[in-house]
Structures are given as structure tokens and as C-alpha cells.
PDB file of all heavy atoms in Angstrom:
ATOM      1  N   MET S   1      28.610  21.738  26.996  1.00 42.00           N
ATOM      2  CA  MET S   1      27.901  21.927  25.733  1.00 42.00           C
ATOM      3  C   MET S   1      26.498  21.336  25.854  1.00 42.00           C
ATOM      4  O   MET S   1      26.322  20.173  26.205  1.00 42.00           O
ATOM      5  CB  MET S   1      28.646  21.229  24.594  1.00 42.00           C
ATOM      6  CG  MET S   1      27.991  21.389  23.241  1.00 42.00           C
ATOM      7  SD  MET S   1      29.005  20.609  21.945  1.00 42.00           S
ATOM      8  CE  MET S   1      27.968  20.964  20.532  1.00 42.00           C
ATOM      9  N   GLN S   2      25.499  22.164  25.590  1.00 45.00           N
ATOM     10  CA  GLN S   2      24.127  21.721  25.738  1.00 45.00           C
ATOM     11  C   GLN S   2      23.720  20.847  24.558  1.00 45.00           C
ATOM     12  O   GLN S   2      24.144  21.053  23.417  1.00 45.00           O
ATOM     13  CB  GLN S   2      23.179  22.926  25.818  1.00 45.00           C
ATOM     14  CG  GLN S   2      23.398  23.777  27.077  1.00 45.00           C
ATOM     15  CD  GLN S   2      22.422  24.922  27.126  1.00 45.00           C
ATOM     16  OE1 GLN S   2      21.794  25.253  26.140  1.00 45.00           O
ATOM     17  NE2 GLN S   2      22.293  25.527  28.292  1.00 45.00           N
ATOM     18  N   ASP S   3      22.870  19.835  24.866  1.00 48.00           N
ATOM     19  CA  ASP S   3      22.341  18.989  23.799  1.00 48.00           C
ATOM     20  C   ASP S   3      21.389  19.806  22.932  1.00 48.00           C
ATOM     21  O   ASP S   3      20.573  20.589  23.444  1.00 48.00           O
ATOM     22  CB  ASP S   3      21.587  17.791  24.375  1.00 48.00           C
ATOM     23  CG  ASP S   3      22.539  16.840  25.088  1.00 48.00           C
ATOM     24  OD1 ASP S   3      23.734  16.857  24.760  1.00 48.00           O
ATOM     25  OD2 ASP S   3      22.070  16.104  25.988  1.00 48.00           O
ATOM     26  N   GLN S   4      21.538  19.627  21.640  1.00 54.00           N
ATOM     27  CA  GLN S   4      20.633  20.307  20.731  1.00 54.00           C
ATOM     28  C   GLN S   4      19.289  19.591  20.713  1.00 54.00           C
ATOM     29  O   GLN S   4      19.220  18.367  20.807  1.00 54.00           O
ATOM     30  CB  GLN S   4      21.214  20.337  19.315  1.00 54.00           C
ATOM     31  CG  GLN S   4      22.485  21.176  19.209  1.00 54.00           C
ATOM     32  CD  GLN S   4      22.986  21.221  17.783  1.00 54.00           C
ATOM     33  OE1 GLN S   4      22.519  20.494  16.926  1.00 54.00           O
ATOM     34  NE2 GLN S   4      23.936  22.103  17.532  1.00 54.00           N
ATOM     35  N   ALA S   5      18.242  20.367  20.616  1.00 52.00           N
ATOM     36  CA  ALA S   5      16.904  19.778  20.588  1.00 52.00           C
ATOM     37  C   ALA S   5      16.726  18.979  19.301  1.00 52.00           C
ATOM     38  O   ALA S   5      17.219  19.356  18.235  1.00 52.00           O
ATOM     39  CB  ALA S   5      15.846  20.873  20.662  1.00 52.00           C
ATOM     40  N   ALA S   6      16.068  17.854  19.420  1.00 48.00           N
ATOM     41  CA  ALA S   6      15.800  17.021  18.243  1.00 48.00           C
ATOM     42  C   ALA S   6      14.850  17.756  17.306  1.00 48.00           C
ATOM     43  O   ALA S   6      13.953  18.478  17.755  1.00 48.00           O
ATOM     44  CB  ALA S   6      15.181  15.696  18.669  1.00 48.00           C
ATOM     45  N   PRO S   7      15.062  17.633  16.016  1.00 48.00           N
ATOM     46  CA  PRO S   7      14.167  18.306  15.072  1.00 48.00           C
ATOM     47  C   PRO S   7      12.758  17.763  15.211  1.00 48.00           C
ATOM     48  O   PRO S   7      12.567  16.586  15.523  1.00 48.00           O
ATOM     49  CB  PRO S   7      14.774  17.962  13.708  1.00 48.00           C
ATOM     50  CG  PRO S   7      15.557  16.710  13.934  1.00 48.00           C
ATOM     51  CD  PRO S   7      16.074  16.824  15.345  1.00 48.00           C
ATOM     52  N   PRO S   8      11.770  18.595  15.007  1.00 51.00           N
ATOM     53  CA  PRO S   8      10.385  18.119  15.139  1.00 51.00           C
ATOM     54  C   PRO S   8      10.077  17.050  14.097  1.00 51.00           C
ATOM     55  O   PRO S   8      10.596  17.063  12.985  1.00 51.00           O
ATOM     56  CB  PRO S   8       9.559  19.390  14.897  1.00 51.00           C
ATOM     57  CG  PRO S   8      10.460  20.279  14.091  1.00 51.00           C
ATOM     58  CD  PRO S   8      11.845  19.993  14.599  1.00 51.00           C
ATOM     59  N   ALA S   9       9.262  16.088  14.519  1.00 56.00           N
ATOM     60  CA  ALA S   9       8.869  15.022  13.596  1.00 56.00           C
ATOM     61  C   ALA S   9       8.067  15.607  12.435  1.00 56.00           C
ATOM     62  O   ALA S   9       7.250  16.511  12.628  1.00 56.00           O
ATOM     63  CB  ALA S   9       8.048  13.977  14.333  1.00 56.00           C
ATOM     64  N   GLU S  10       8.334  15.098  11.264  1.00 69.00           N
ATOM     65  CA  GLU S  10       7.629  15.596  10.085  1.00 69.00           C
ATOM     66  C   GLU S  10       6.171  15.170  10.133  1.00 69.00           C
ATOM     67  O   GLU S  10       5.849  14.050  10.510  1.00 69.00           O
ATOM     68  CB  GLU S  10       8.289  15.062   8.816  1.00 69.00           C
ATOM     69  CG  GLU S  10       7.710  15.634   7.537  1.00 69.00           C
ATOM     70  CD  GLU S  10       8.470  15.209   6.304  1.00 69.00           C
ATOM     71  OE1 GLU S  10       9.468  14.468   6.458  1.00 69.00           O
ATOM     72  OE2 GLU S  10       8.078  15.608   5.193  1.00 69.00           O
ATOM     73  N   THR S  11       5.322  16.076   9.785  1.00 78.00           N
ATOM     74  CA  THR S  11       3.896  15.778   9.743  1.00 78.00           C
ATOM     75  C   THR S  11       3.465  15.631   8.283  1.00 78.00           C
ATOM     76  O   THR S  11       4.017  16.264   7.388  1.00 78.00           O
ATOM     77  CB  THR S  11       3.068  16.876  10.419  1.00 78.00           C
ATOM     78  OG1 THR S  11       3.348  18.139   9.781  1.00 78.00           O
ATOM     79  CG2 THR S  11       3.425  16.983  11.897  1.00 78.00           C
ATOM     80  N   PHE S  12       2.478  14.797   8.081  1.00 84.00           N
ATOM     81  CA  PHE S  12       1.993  14.543   6.732  1.00 84.00           C
ATOM     82  C   PHE S  12       0.522  14.917   6.648  1.00 84.00           C
ATOM     83  O   PHE S  12      -0.243  14.724   7.596  1.00 84.00           O
ATOM     84  CB  PHE S  12       2.174  13.070   6.359  1.00 84.00           C
ATOM     85  CG  PHE S  12       3.601  12.608   6.385  1.00 84.00           C
ATOM     86  CD1 PHE S  12       4.132  11.993   7.521  1.00 84.00           C
ATOM     87  CD2 PHE S  12       4.418  12.785   5.280  1.00 84.00           C
ATOM     88  CE1 PHE S  12       5.443  11.561   7.550  1.00 84.00           C
ATOM     89  CE2 PHE S  12       5.741  12.357   5.300  1.00 84.00           C
ATOM     90  CZ  PHE S  12       6.254  11.753   6.434  1.00 84.00           C
ATOM     91  N   SER S  13       0.147  15.425   5.504  1.00 88.00           N
ATOM     92  CA  SER S  13      -1.251  15.792   5.296  1.00 88.00           C
ATOM     93  C   SER S  13      -2.118  14.529   5.248  1.00 88.00           C
ATOM     94  O   SER S  13      -1.630  13.424   5.002  1.00 88.00           O
ATOM     95  CB  SER S  13      -1.405  16.567   3.983  1.00 88.00           C
ATOM     96  OG  SER S  13      -1.147  15.716   2.875  1.00 88.00           O
ATOM     97  N   ARG S  14      -3.402  14.711   5.480  1.00 90.00           N
ATOM     98  CA  ARG S  14      -4.319  13.571   5.416  1.00 90.00           C
ATOM     99  C   ARG S  14      -4.319  12.966   4.022  1.00 90.00           C
ATOM    100  O   ARG S  14      -4.351  11.739   3.862  1.00 90.00           O
ATOM    101  CB  ARG S  14      -5.731  14.018   5.799  1.00 90.00           C
ATOM    102  CG  ARG S  14      -6.770  12.906   5.684  1.00 90.00           C
ATOM    103  CD  ARG S  14      -8.125  13.346   6.181  1.00 90.00           C
ATOM    104  NE  ARG S  14      -8.101  13.660   7.591  1.00 90.00           N
ATOM    105  CZ  ARG S  14      -9.173  14.089   8.279  1.00 90.00           C
ATOM    106  NH1 ARG S  14     -10.333  14.236   7.655  1.00 90.00           N
ATOM    107  NH2 ARG S  14      -9.080  14.359   9.554  1.00 90.00           N
ATOM    108  N   GLY S  15      -4.244  13.818   3.014  1.00 92.00           N
ATOM    109  CA  GLY S  15      -4.223  13.319   1.643  1.00 92.00           C
ATOM    110  C   GLY S  15      -3.013  12.450   1.366  1.00 92.00           C
ATOM    111  O   GLY S  15      -3.125  11.411   0.694  1.00 92.00           O
ATOM    112  N   PHE S  16      -1.853  12.865   1.900  1.00 92.00           N
ATOM    113  CA  PHE S  16      -0.637  12.086   1.680  1.00 92.00           C
ATOM    114  C   PHE S  16      -0.729  10.740   2.389  1.00 92.00           C
ATOM    115  O   PHE S  16      -0.301   9.711   1.853  1.00 92.00           O
ATOM    116  CB  PHE S  16       0.575  12.875   2.178  1.00 92.00           C
ATOM    117  CG  PHE S  16       1.879  12.411   1.594  1.00 92.00           C
ATOM    118  CD1 PHE S  16       2.260  12.775   0.315  1.00 92.00           C
ATOM    119  CD2 PHE S  16       2.735  11.599   2.327  1.00 92.00           C
ATOM    120  CE1 PHE S  16       3.469  12.350  -0.230  1.00 92.00           C
ATOM    121  CE2 PHE S  16       3.939  11.156   1.802  1.00 92.00           C
ATOM    122  CZ  PHE S  16       4.301  11.543   0.519  1.00 92.00           C
ATOM    123  N   ARG S  17      -1.304  10.751   3.612  1.00 92.00           N
ATOM    124  CA  ARG S  17      -1.459   9.495   4.337  1.00 92.00           C
ATOM    125  C   ARG S  17      -2.485   8.577   3.665  1.00 92.00           C
ATOM    126  O   ARG S  17      -2.317   7.361   3.626  1.00 92.00           O
ATOM    127  CB  ARG S  17      -1.862   9.769   5.787  1.00 92.00           C
ATOM    128  CG  ARG S  17      -0.689  10.282   6.627  1.00 92.00           C
ATOM    129  CD  ARG S  17      -1.019  10.437   8.086  1.00 92.00           C
ATOM    130  NE  ARG S  17      -1.738  11.682   8.348  1.00 92.00           N
ATOM    131  CZ  ARG S  17      -2.995  11.760   8.734  1.00 92.00           C
ATOM    132  NH1 ARG S  17      -3.696  10.655   8.926  1.00 92.00           N
ATOM    133  NH2 ARG S  17      -3.555  12.928   8.961  1.00 92.00           N
ATOM    134  N   LEU S  18      -3.535   9.164   3.106  1.00 95.00           N
ATOM    135  CA  LEU S  18      -4.514   8.360   2.368  1.00 95.00           C
ATOM    136  C   LEU S  18      -3.890   7.762   1.108  1.00 95.00           C
ATOM    137  O   LEU S  18      -4.216   6.632   0.720  1.00 95.00           O
ATOM    138  CB  LEU S  18      -5.728   9.222   2.007  1.00 95.00           C
ATOM    139  CG  LEU S  18      -6.677   9.563   3.164  1.00 95.00           C
ATOM    140  CD1 LEU S  18      -7.747  10.538   2.697  1.00 95.00           C
ATOM    141  CD2 LEU S  18      -7.315   8.289   3.718  1.00 95.00           C
ATOM    142  N   ALA S  19      -2.996   8.528   0.492  1.00 95.00           N
ATOM    143  CA  ALA S  19      -2.295   8.000  -0.684  1.00 95.00           C
ATOM    144  C   ALA S  19      -1.448   6.789  -0.295  1.00 95.00           C
ATOM    145  O   ALA S  19      -1.390   5.788  -1.030  1.00 95.00           O
ATOM    146  CB  ALA S  19      -1.422   9.088  -1.313  1.00 95.00           C
ATOM    147  N   GLY S  20      -0.801   6.863   0.880  1.00 94.00           N
ATOM    148  CA  GLY S  20      -0.029   5.717   1.364  1.00 94.00           C
ATOM    149  C   GLY S  20      -0.908   4.505   1.609  1.00 94.00           C
ATOM    150  O   GLY S  20      -0.542   3.374   1.269  1.00 94.00           O
ATOM    151  N   ALA S  21      -2.093   4.737   2.185  1.00 96.00           N
ATOM    152  CA  ALA S  21      -3.026   3.637   2.412  1.00 96.00           C
ATOM    153  C   ALA S  21      -3.499   3.045   1.088  1.00 96.00           C
ATOM    154  O   ALA S  21      -3.675   1.816   0.964  1.00 96.00           O
ATOM    155  CB  ALA S  21      -4.218   4.122   3.229  1.00 96.00           C
ATOM    156  N   ALA S  22      -3.680   3.899   0.089  1.00 97.00           N
ATOM    157  CA  ALA S  22      -4.097   3.423  -1.230  1.00 97.00           C
ATOM    158  C   ALA S  22      -3.020   2.544  -1.864  1.00 97.00           C
ATOM    159  O   ALA S  22      -3.326   1.568  -2.550  1.00 97.00           O
ATOM    160  CB  ALA S  22      -4.419   4.604  -2.141  1.00 97.00           C
ATOM    161  N   VAL S  23      -1.752   2.874  -1.617  1.00 97.00           N
ATOM    162  CA  VAL S  23      -0.653   2.045  -2.126  1.00 97.00           C
ATOM    163  C   VAL S  23      -0.714   0.658  -1.498  1.00 97.00           C
ATOM    164  O   VAL S  23      -0.547  -0.355  -2.181  1.00 97.00           O
ATOM    165  CB  VAL S  23       0.713   2.713  -1.868  1.00 97.00           C
ATOM    166  CG1 VAL S  23       1.857   1.764  -2.217  1.00 97.00           C
ATOM    167  CG2 VAL S  23       0.842   3.999  -2.660  1.00 97.00           C
ATOM    168  N   HIS S  24      -0.940   0.599  -0.193  1.00 97.00           N
ATOM    169  CA  HIS S  24      -1.070  -0.702   0.473  1.00 97.00           C
ATOM    170  C   HIS S  24      -2.243  -1.496  -0.099  1.00 97.00           C
ATOM    171  O   HIS S  24      -2.150  -2.718  -0.283  1.00 97.00           O
ATOM    172  CB  HIS S  24      -1.246  -0.518   1.973  1.00 97.00           C
ATOM    173  CG  HIS S  24       0.019  -0.190   2.706  1.00 97.00           C
ATOM    174  ND1 HIS S  24       1.208  -0.831   2.451  1.00 97.00           N
ATOM    175  CD2 HIS S  24       0.270   0.709   3.712  1.00 97.00           C
ATOM    176  CE1 HIS S  24       2.155  -0.350   3.250  1.00 97.00           C
ATOM    177  NE2 HIS S  24       1.610   0.580   4.019  1.00 97.00           N
ATOM    178  N   LEU S  25      -3.343  -0.816  -0.377  1.00 98.00           N
ATOM    179  CA  LEU S  25      -4.499  -1.495  -0.960  1.00 98.00           C
ATOM    180  C   LEU S  25      -4.158  -2.005  -2.361  1.00 98.00           C
ATOM    181  O   LEU S  25      -4.582  -3.103  -2.756  1.00 98.00           O
ATOM    182  CB  LEU S  25      -5.689  -0.546  -1.018  1.00 98.00           C
ATOM    183  CG  LEU S  25      -6.988  -1.117  -1.591  1.00 98.00           C
ATOM    184  CD1 LEU S  25      -7.466  -2.305  -0.759  1.00 98.00           C
ATOM    185  CD2 LEU S  25      -8.070  -0.034  -1.652  1.00 98.00           C
ATOM    186  N   TYR S  26      -3.376  -1.222  -3.087  1.00 98.00           N
ATOM    187  CA  TYR S  26      -2.923  -1.626  -4.422  1.00 98.00           C
ATOM    188  C   TYR S  26      -2.099  -2.909  -4.335  1.00 98.00           C
ATOM    189  O   TYR S  26      -2.309  -3.851  -5.107  1.00 98.00           O
ATOM    190  CB  TYR S  26      -2.111  -0.481  -5.016  1.00 98.00           C
ATOM    191  CG  TYR S  26      -1.519  -0.734  -6.384  1.00 98.00           C
ATOM    192  CD1 TYR S  26      -2.333  -1.008  -7.480  1.00 98.00           C
ATOM    193  CD2 TYR S  26      -0.141  -0.659  -6.575  1.00 98.00           C
ATOM    194  CE1 TYR S  26      -1.782  -1.205  -8.745  1.00 98.00           C
ATOM    195  CE2 TYR S  26       0.414  -0.849  -7.834  1.00 98.00           C
ATOM    196  CZ  TYR S  26      -0.409  -1.126  -8.914  1.00 98.00           C
ATOM    197  OH  TYR S  26       0.149  -1.323 -10.154  1.00 98.00           O
ATOM    198  N   THR S  27      -1.189  -2.975  -3.373  1.00 98.00           N
ATOM    199  CA  THR S  27      -0.415  -4.198  -3.165  1.00 98.00           C
ATOM    200  C   THR S  27      -1.334  -5.357  -2.805  1.00 98.00           C
ATOM    201  O   THR S  27      -1.207  -6.463  -3.347  1.00 98.00           O
ATOM    202  CB  THR S  27       0.620  -3.998  -2.047  1.00 98.00           C
ATOM    203  OG1 THR S  27       1.529  -2.957  -2.416  1.00 98.00           O
ATOM    204  CG2 THR S  27       1.407  -5.281  -1.792  1.00 98.00           C
ATOM    205  N   ALA S  28      -2.262  -5.112  -1.890  1.00 98.00           N
ATOM    206  CA  ALA S  28      -3.174  -6.171  -1.438  1.00 98.00           C
ATOM    207  C   ALA S  28      -4.053  -6.688  -2.567  1.00 98.00           C
ATOM    208  O   ALA S  28      -4.485  -7.852  -2.534  1.00 98.00           O
ATOM    209  CB  ALA S  28      -4.043  -5.655  -0.296  1.00 98.00           C
ATOM    210  N   SER S  29      -4.314  -5.866  -3.576  1.00 98.00           N
ATOM    211  CA  SER S  29      -5.161  -6.303  -4.691  1.00 98.00           C
ATOM    212  C   SER S  29      -4.559  -7.508  -5.410  1.00 98.00           C
ATOM    213  O   SER S  29      -5.280  -8.271  -6.061  1.00 98.00           O
ATOM    214  CB  SER S  29      -5.372  -5.155  -5.685  1.00 98.00           C
ATOM    215  OG  SER S  29      -4.168  -4.859  -6.390  1.00 98.00           O
ATOM    216  N   GLY S  30      -3.241  -7.683  -5.272  1.00 98.00           N
ATOM    217  CA  GLY S  30      -2.605  -8.847  -5.876  1.00 98.00           C
ATOM    218  C   GLY S  30      -3.159 -10.154  -5.339  1.00 98.00           C
ATOM    219  O   GLY S  30      -3.210 -11.164  -6.060  1.00 98.00           O
ATOM    220  N   SER S  31      -3.593 -10.165  -4.076  1.00 98.00           N
ATOM    221  CA  SER S  31      -4.151 -11.401  -3.511  1.00 98.00           C
ATOM    222  C   SER S  31      -5.459 -11.761  -4.202  1.00 98.00           C
ATOM    223  O   SER S  31      -5.753 -12.944  -4.419  1.00 98.00           O
ATOM    224  CB  SER S  31      -4.367 -11.242  -1.998  1.00 98.00           C
ATOM    225  OG  SER S  31      -5.320 -10.222  -1.730  1.00 98.00           O
ATOM    226  N   VAL S  32      -6.233 -10.750  -4.563  1.00 98.00           N
ATOM    227  CA  VAL S  32      -7.484 -10.993  -5.292  1.00 98.00           C
ATOM    228  C   VAL S  32      -7.176 -11.492  -6.702  1.00 98.00           C
ATOM    229  O   VAL S  32      -7.828 -12.417  -7.206  1.00 98.00           O
ATOM    230  CB  VAL S  32      -8.335  -9.706  -5.343  1.00 98.00           C
ATOM    231  CG1 VAL S  32      -9.636  -9.965  -6.109  1.00 98.00           C
ATOM    232  CG2 VAL S  32      -8.632  -9.203  -3.939  1.00 98.00           C
ATOM    233  N   LEU S  33      -6.175 -10.896  -7.324  1.00 98.00           N
ATOM    234  CA  LEU S  33      -5.768 -11.362  -8.646  1.00 98.00           C
ATOM    235  C   LEU S  33      -5.300 -12.818  -8.579  1.00 98.00           C
ATOM    236  O   LEU S  33      -5.564 -13.606  -9.491  1.00 98.00           O
ATOM    237  CB  LEU S  33      -4.649 -10.476  -9.199  1.00 98.00           C
ATOM    238  CG  LEU S  33      -5.028  -9.028  -9.529  1.00 98.00           C
ATOM    239  CD1 LEU S  33      -3.789  -8.238  -9.926  1.00 98.00           C
ATOM    240  CD2 LEU S  33      -6.069  -8.983 -10.642  1.00 98.00           C
ATOM    241  N   GLY S  34      -4.606 -13.169  -7.491  1.00 98.00           N
ATOM    242  CA  GLY S  34      -4.174 -14.557  -7.323  1.00 98.00           C
ATOM    243  C   GLY S  34      -5.352 -15.509  -7.259  1.00 98.00           C
ATOM    244  O   GLY S  34      -5.327 -16.591  -7.854  1.00 98.00           O
ATOM    245  N   LEU S  35      -6.390 -15.119  -6.519  1.00 98.00           N
ATOM    246  CA  LEU S  35      -7.605 -15.942  -6.458  1.00 98.00           C
ATOM    247  C   LEU S  35      -8.228 -16.081  -7.840  1.00 98.00           C
ATOM    248  O   LEU S  35      -8.645 -17.179  -8.242  1.00 98.00           O
ATOM    249  CB  LEU S  35      -8.611 -15.315  -5.492  1.00 98.00           C
ATOM    250  CG  LEU S  35     -10.008 -15.953  -5.473  1.00 98.00           C
ATOM    251  CD1 LEU S  35      -9.935 -17.396  -5.004  1.00 98.00           C
ATOM    252  CD2 LEU S  35     -10.956 -15.134  -4.591  1.00 98.00           C
ATOM    253  N   LEU S  36      -8.275 -14.991  -8.586  1.00 98.00           N
ATOM    254  CA  LEU S  36      -8.868 -15.034  -9.916  1.00 98.00           C
ATOM    255  C   LEU S  36      -8.059 -15.929 -10.861  1.00 98.00           C
ATOM    256  O   LEU S  36      -8.634 -16.600 -11.732  1.00 98.00           O
ATOM    257  CB  LEU S  36      -8.979 -13.617 -10.483  1.00 98.00           C
ATOM    258  CG  LEU S  36      -9.953 -12.692  -9.745  1.00 98.00           C
ATOM    259  CD1 LEU S  36      -9.902 -11.288 -10.336  1.00 98.00           C
ATOM    260  CD2 LEU S  36     -11.374 -13.242  -9.786  1.00 98.00           C
ATOM    261  N   ILE S  37      -6.728 -15.942 -10.687  1.00 98.00           N
ATOM    262  CA  ILE S  37      -5.895 -16.852 -11.489  1.00 98.00           C
ATOM    263  C   ILE S  37      -6.286 -18.300 -11.202  1.00 98.00           C
ATOM    264  O   ILE S  37      -6.467 -19.107 -12.125  1.00 98.00           O
ATOM    265  CB  ILE S  37      -4.400 -16.642 -11.183  1.00 98.00           C
ATOM    266  CG1 ILE S  37      -3.927 -15.274 -11.687  1.00 98.00           C
ATOM    267  CG2 ILE S  37      -3.555 -17.738 -11.830  1.00 98.00           C
ATOM    268  CD1 ILE S  37      -2.520 -14.909 -11.218  1.00 98.00           C
ATOM    269  N   VAL S  38      -6.411 -18.627  -9.934  1.00 98.00           N
ATOM    270  CA  VAL S  38      -6.770 -19.991  -9.540  1.00 98.00           C
ATOM    271  C   VAL S  38      -8.142 -20.368 -10.088  1.00 98.00           C
ATOM    272  O   VAL S  38      -8.332 -21.468 -10.647  1.00 98.00           O
ATOM    273  CB  VAL S  38      -6.727 -20.139  -8.009  1.00 98.00           C
ATOM    274  CG1 VAL S  38      -7.313 -21.481  -7.577  1.00 98.00           C
ATOM    275  CG2 VAL S  38      -5.300 -20.001  -7.496  1.00 98.00           C
ATOM    276  N   LEU S  39      -9.109 -19.472  -9.961  1.00 98.00           N
ATOM    277  CA  LEU S  39     -10.462 -19.769 -10.445  1.00 98.00           C
ATOM    278  C   LEU S  39     -10.483 -19.928 -11.958  1.00 98.00           C
ATOM    279  O   LEU S  39     -11.142 -20.833 -12.490  1.00 98.00           O
ATOM    280  CB  LEU S  39     -11.425 -18.654 -10.013  1.00 98.00           C
ATOM    281  CG  LEU S  39     -11.663 -18.522  -8.504  1.00 98.00           C
ATOM    282  CD1 LEU S  39     -12.579 -17.344  -8.213  1.00 98.00           C
ATOM    283  CD2 LEU S  39     -12.241 -19.811  -7.935  1.00 98.00           C
ATOM    284  N   ALA S  40      -9.746 -19.056 -12.667  1.00 98.00           N
ATOM    285  CA  ALA S  40      -9.688 -19.167 -14.123  1.00 98.00           C
ATOM    286  C   ALA S  40      -9.016 -20.470 -14.539  1.00 98.00           C
ATOM    287  O   ALA S  40      -9.432 -21.133 -15.494  1.00 98.00           O
ATOM    288  CB  ALA S  40      -8.954 -17.964 -14.713  1.00 98.00           C
ATOM    289  N   ALA S  41      -7.961 -20.847 -13.806  1.00 98.00           N
ATOM    290  CA  ALA S  41      -7.261 -22.103 -14.106  1.00 98.00           C
ATOM    291  C   ALA S  41      -8.174 -23.297 -13.903  1.00 98.00           C
ATOM    292  O   ALA S  41      -8.219 -24.219 -14.738  1.00 98.00           O
ATOM    293  CB  ALA S  41      -6.010 -22.219 -13.229  1.00 98.00           C
ATOM    294  N   ILE S  42      -8.920 -23.298 -12.820  1.00 98.00           N
ATOM    295  CA  ILE S  42      -9.840 -24.415 -12.540  1.00 98.00           C
ATOM    296  C   ILE S  42     -10.943 -24.488 -13.599  1.00 98.00           C
ATOM    297  O   ILE S  42     -11.359 -25.572 -14.012  1.00 98.00           O
ATOM    298  CB  ILE S  42     -10.440 -24.259 -11.133  1.00 98.00           C
ATOM    299  CG1 ILE S  42      -9.343 -24.444 -10.075  1.00 98.00           C
ATOM    300  CG2 ILE S  42     -11.576 -25.257 -10.904  1.00 98.00           C
ATOM    301  CD1 ILE S  42      -9.790 -24.131  -8.667  1.00 98.00           C
ATOM    302  N   ASP S  43     -11.391 -23.309 -14.065  1.00 98.00           N
ATOM    303  CA  ASP S  43     -12.441 -23.273 -15.096  1.00 98.00           C
ATOM    304  C   ASP S  43     -11.906 -23.567 -16.494  1.00 98.00           C
ATOM    305  O   ASP S  43     -12.686 -23.623 -17.453  1.00 98.00           O
ATOM    306  CB  ASP S  43     -13.115 -21.894 -15.100  1.00 98.00           C
ATOM    307  CG  ASP S  43     -13.977 -21.666 -13.871  1.00 98.00           C
ATOM    308  OD1 ASP S  43     -14.357 -22.667 -13.223  1.00 98.00           O
ATOM    309  OD2 ASP S  43     -14.266 -20.501 -13.549  1.00 98.00           O
ATOM    310  N   GLY S  44     -10.585 -23.717 -16.626  1.00 97.00           N
ATOM    311  CA  GLY S  44     -10.001 -23.995 -17.932  1.00 97.00           C
ATOM    312  C   GLY S  44      -9.830 -22.776 -18.810  1.00 97.00           C
ATOM    313  O   GLY S  44      -9.530 -22.904 -20.006  1.00 97.00           O
ATOM    314  N   ASP S  45      -9.991 -21.580 -18.244  1.00 98.00           N
ATOM    315  CA  ASP S  45      -9.838 -20.336 -19.011  1.00 98.00           C
ATOM    316  C   ASP S  45      -8.379 -19.892 -18.912  1.00 98.00           C
ATOM    317  O   ASP S  45      -8.023 -18.980 -18.162  1.00 98.00           O
ATOM    318  CB  ASP S  45     -10.775 -19.267 -18.455  1.00 98.00           C
ATOM    319  CG  ASP S  45     -10.875 -18.046 -19.352  1.00 98.00           C
ATOM    320  OD1 ASP S  45     -10.082 -17.952 -20.324  1.00 98.00           O
ATOM    321  OD2 ASP S  45     -11.720 -17.184 -19.087  1.00 98.00           O
ATOM    322  N   VAL S  46      -7.533 -20.551 -19.698  1.00 98.00           N
ATOM    323  CA  VAL S  46      -6.084 -20.356 -19.582  1.00 98.00           C
ATOM    324  C   VAL S  46      -5.673 -18.947 -19.971  1.00 98.00           C
ATOM    325  O   VAL S  46      -4.823 -18.333 -19.318  1.00 98.00           O
ATOM    326  CB  VAL S  46      -5.344 -21.395 -20.457  1.00 98.00           C
ATOM    327  CG1 VAL S  46      -3.850 -21.153 -20.417  1.00 98.00           C
ATOM    328  CG2 VAL S  46      -5.660 -22.796 -19.990  1.00 98.00           C
ATOM    329  N   VAL S  47      -6.249 -18.414 -21.037  1.00 98.00           N
ATOM    330  CA  VAL S  47      -5.853 -17.082 -21.508  1.00 98.00           C
ATOM    331  C   VAL S  47      -6.138 -16.029 -20.440  1.00 98.00           C
ATOM    332  O   VAL S  47      -5.298 -15.174 -20.148  1.00 98.00           O
ATOM    333  CB  VAL S  47      -6.574 -16.742 -22.829  1.00 98.00           C
ATOM    334  CG1 VAL S  47      -6.290 -15.291 -23.228  1.00 98.00           C
ATOM    335  CG2 VAL S  47      -6.111 -17.683 -23.936  1.00 98.00           C
ATOM    336  N   THR S  48      -7.309 -16.094 -19.837  1.00 98.00           N
ATOM    337  CA  THR S  48      -7.629 -15.137 -18.766  1.00 98.00           C
ATOM    338  C   THR S  48      -6.655 -15.286 -17.607  1.00 98.00           C
ATOM    339  O   THR S  48      -6.180 -14.284 -17.051  1.00 98.00           O
ATOM    340  CB  THR S  48      -9.064 -15.359 -18.269  1.00 98.00           C
ATOM    341  OG1 THR S  48      -9.973 -15.079 -19.332  1.00 98.00           O
ATOM    342  CG2 THR S  48      -9.382 -14.435 -17.091  1.00 98.00           C
TER     343      THR S  48
END
């Protein structure tokens, strides 16, 4: 019995891959928000 060929790897459009990169950037934006929390706390701007 011959081995069946593996299905071809799925390809993604550039737009879909850019959307994935944008999601990672969205996650990374939390680090900037964390810095802003620290700066606001040090400045006494509790509500912000």
C-alpha cells in the first residue's frame, strides 16, 4: 500500500498575515498601557 501524499500546506493571504501581526501588536500595546499606569500612579493621577 503506497503512502498517501501529505496535503499541501495552507497558504495565507498577505492581508490575513498582516491581520495576525496586528493582533500581536494589539497584545504588545498592553506593555505601553502598563507604563502609563505607572506614570499616572507616580503623578498621583489615580483616576487615569
Side-chain angles (χ1 to χ4, degrees):
M1 181 177 180
Q2 294 181 345
D3 293 336
Q4 294 182 349
E10 186 174 359
T11 57
F12 300 95
S13 68
R14 177 175 296 179
F16 200 79
R17 285 185 279 112
L18 286 174
V23 172
H24 283 317
L25 181 60
Y26 178 61
T27 299
S29 70
S31 63
V32 180
L33 293 174
L35 172 63
L36 294 176
I37 292 171
V38 171
L39 294 177
I42 293 172
D43 289 340
D45 191 351
V46 176
V47 173
T48 296

